[in-house]
Amino acid sequence: MGTHVRALLLAATVAVSAACGGGGSAPADEAAAGSPGVDGPASTTPTTTPTTASAEGTTLVARADGELAVSPEPGAPPSHHLPATTEFGSPRALLVLDEQGDWLHVALPDRPNGSTGWIARADVEVREFDERVEIDLAARTLTLVDGGEVVLTTPIAVGASAAPTPTGAFYVVDKLATGDPDDTYGPFAFGLSAHSDVLTEFAGGDGQVGIHGTNDPASIGQAVSHGCIRVPNDVAEALEARLHLGTPVTIG
Amino acid sequence: MHLTDRLTRMLLGAMTLGAVLVPATVAAAEPPGPGDLTTPTTDPCGPDGCLPPEPEPEPECPPFVATCDDLTSNPCDPVEEDCSPDPEPCPQDADADCPDPNPAPEPEPEVGPDPEPVDPSVPADPNFTG
């Protein structure tokens, strides 16, 4: 299918500018430089490195057209309902973890991180994708894998020690265009199902973690964010063309 | 007439009638004489040597048309006919489900489409953790 575009080559350009502030209403007292406890850079020469490797696996994503009932067990009465769209209007997409008869075990985009529930298969459309994202906090890299083949690896900025990026298995729930490459979030931002373990509020939100571009390319390669993953803007543009709602994002 | 005379006449009449009804005996064929040649006695090879034997003509296959009632194979001219049963006629009842004579192929498993592009005409205001 069309999702198997290979060998995407990117070049990340680094320039020095102000750090990402995230809307100016961060609950944590960030440093004047805009960094919540800046850790040293992992790489001083951030470049995007196209590589080749092999991995496995496809992903099942449940797409709902309407409000979705979530049950704690297969066949049990629903414990709550998810709106048909996210806060930003994205269609509801849930990562499928398991299948049991007419029921799907899905990862929920709710706190606490790692929440799961069961939904009726009849209530959703199940799609299959090959892409996934792997984020290595120690190496401060993001790798996009498509059908077992590494498409790109890029240096990133991760959460500072005071607001570390949460670890675990998450997925993309929003794809947003800011309309301005010089925006704090760069041209594109991808909301994840992850939430900060430290910040319960941020810029009017609930501490949702995302992958996004930046107007501070110098921060790439450092641990300076409030938990989000910053990528070079050209990488953000490339990800916009490759990431689905529901694409798995593993942070470790 | 005396009885003896009458018997004599009847006997003569019967003999005359029997001579007419008896079929003529067919003369038996005579055995071949020394002048009748039943096997070649001349040398088939001429002064220039023996001629190659003439090729035997290929057997002519009789016209053959297999029918669905008689599928006897004909090695000379095998005929393949579509002997599948005729489709059931669609009932005239308008409410009845009539099978589609040309059913659509089975759909392939659902495969995710390309990523939905973000509509840049509606800029979003993310509030992620920066």
Side-chain angles (χ1 to χ4, degrees):
Chain A
M1 301 298 291
T3 60
H4 297 276
V5 181
R6 308 293 185 194
L8 179 63
L9 304 179
L10 300 173
T13 303
V14 179
V16 176
S17 64
C20 169
S25 59
D29 293 331
E30 310 301 350
S35 299
V38 176
D39 292 343
S43 171
T44 56
T45 57
T47 57
T48 302
T49 306
T51 57
T52 57
S54 63
E56 76 298 327
T58 58
T59 301
L60 295 182
V61 175
R63 288 286 295 266
D65 292 331
E67 188 179 69
L68 194 58
V70 180
S71 299
E73 300 290 342
S79 57
H80 66 288
H81 292 77
L82 288 175
T85 61
T86 69
E87 171 190 354
F88 300 101
S90 302
R92 182 65 67 191
L94 301 173
L95 180 63
V96 177
L97 305 174
D98 193 12
E99 303 176 70
Q100 185 171 319
D102 295 332
W103 291 82
L104 301 175
H105 192 203
V106 295
L108 299 176
D110 302 330
R111 288 183 182 273
N113 289 331
S115 297
T116 66
W118 292 83
I119 61 175
R121 177 188 286 272
D123 292 343
V124 297
E125 173 192 350
V126 179
R127 300 179 180 179
E128 183 177 313
F129 299 115
D130 294 331
E131 296 85 354
R132 59 187 171 85
V133 172
E134 297 175 353
I135 293 174
D136 187 331
L137 295 178
R140 295 173 190 166
T141 59
L142 178 151
T143 300
L144 174 63
V145 181
D146 183 352
E149 179 179 342
V150 173
V151 176
L152 67 86
T153 297
T154 182
I156 57 175
V158 300
S161 58
T165 300
T167 60
F170 308 105
Y171 58 98
V172 175
V173 297
D174 286 298
K175 291 179 63 178
L176 307 175
T178 66
D180 181 8
D182 295 327
D183 186 89
T184 302
Y185 297 95
F188 295 103
F190 311 94
L192 303 182
S193 59
H195 292 79
S196 172
D197 293 326
V198 177
L199 306 175
T200 56
E201 294 181 359
F202 189 87
D206 62 354
Q208 181 181 4
V209 173
I211 300 171
H212 57 76
T214 181
N215 60 0
D216 181 15
S219 66
I220 300 298
Q222 303 183 58
V224 295
S225 78
H226 299 85
C228 281
I229 294 98
R230 302 178 193 171
V231 297
N233 283 352
D234 55 355
V235 173
E237 293 175 354
L239 293 178
E240 193 275 333
R242 301 301 296 263
L243 298 186
H244 299 268
L245 296 178
T247 297
V249 177
T250 302
I251 303 176
Chain B
M1 182 176 296
H2 295 283
L3 179 60
T4 304
D5 294 338
R6 293 179 63 182
L7 290 174
T8 301
R9 289 182 179 179
M10 290 176 63
L11 181 61
L12 292 173
M15 292 178 63
T16 303
L17 182 60
V20 172
L21 293 178
V22 173
T25 302
V26 176
E30 295 181 358
D36 296 331
L37 299 179
T38 56
T39 55
T41 57
T42 58
D43 187 357
C45 295
D48 296 332
C50 292
L51 296 175
E54 294 183 0
E56 296 184 359
E58 295 183 359
E60 294 182 2
C61 287
F64 178 82
V65 177
T67 66
C68 293
D69 295 332
D70 181 11
L71 292 177
T72 305
S73 62
N74 183 347
C76 294
D77 185 17
V79 176
E80 295 182 0
E81 282 196 353
D82 181 9
C83 295
S84 58
D86 292 336
E88 291 290 334
C90 182
Q92 297 302 313
D93 184 357
D95 295 335
D97 292 332
C98 185
D100 187 351
N102 298 309
E106 290 290 329
E108 294 183 356
E110 179 71 24
V111 178
D114 289 339
E116 297 112 316
V118 175
D119 184 0
S121 65
V122 185
D125 186 16
N127 55 15
F128 307 141
T129 56

